[in-house]
Amino acid sequence: QAVFFWRGNMGAAQERPVWQAVKTYWSLLLGNALEWYEFCLYSFLEPYFEANFFQGSAVVTWLGFAMTFIARPFGGVVLGVVGDLFGRKVSTFLSIFGMLGGTVLQGLLPTFQHGPVAGTIGVSLLVFLRLLQGISAGGEIASVTTYITEVCHPRVLARTLVLMPITSNVGYFLAQLM
């Protein structure tokens, strides 16, 4: 069984199984998996977004997808500053709930099937929510990685940090099942 060492309350190294890292960071890892699930799902639902929000323009639909990636560096900076000023917990909380809110609210948006005014409002809000998700994703990657780096024992740091890309791939896989 794979093990890792961590410093307990008294500072002495203690041996623990790798699954303990998953148990400790499960909420952060779940947030990462759901984030990438949503990113991948948008690409699979591109025909729906094209028909209902972007009036048949595949180019504009993919630009809507790209908005999240354009906003990510900004999110890393903004939520990084929030993390430095108020702590990683606040930064991570804001990033996860920003991603959650952006994802849920996208499912409630009006489309052009509800009329031209509702469709225009829906597209505008969709772009805003995609930007919110990009900011949240940029902040989440920076804050979660920094948090794990700060609290994890150096001897198991790589084994713990590798859980981030693993959960990203879990998100991709789950989106493909839909």
Side-chain angles (χ1 to χ4, degrees), residues 1-5 15-23 156 159:
Q1 181 180 12
V3 295
F4 67 89
F5 295 87
E15 190 174 318
R16 294 207 126 167
V18 172
W19 64 265
Q20 187 66 34
V22 175
K23 184 178 173 185
V156 296
R159 282 178 273 181

Side-chain angles (χ1 to χ4, degrees), residues 26-103:
W26 74 268
S27 60
L28 301 175
L29 299 172
L30 177 63
N32 190 53
L34 292 175
E35 169 191 332
W36 289 104
Y37 166 81
E38 195 283 329
F39 275 127
C40 192
L41 197 60
Y42 183 99
S43 66
F44 290 133
L45 294 176
E46 184 272 336
Y48 169 80
F49 286 109
E50 180 181 334
N52 292 295
F53 286 98
F54 298 104
Q55 298 180 330
S57 175
V59 172
V60 177
T61 306
W62 286 111
L63 285 174
F65 181 70
M67 295 301 291
T68 54
F69 294 97
I70 293 168
R72 289 177 87 173
F74 179 70
V77 170
V78 169
L79 289 173
V81 170
V82 169
D84 289 341
L85 295 175
F86 303 104
R88 303 285 175 249
K89 186 175 183 178
V90 172
S91 177
T92 303
F93 178 82
L94 289 174
S95 67
I96 289 174
F97 279 94
M99 181 61 81
L100 177 66
T103 301

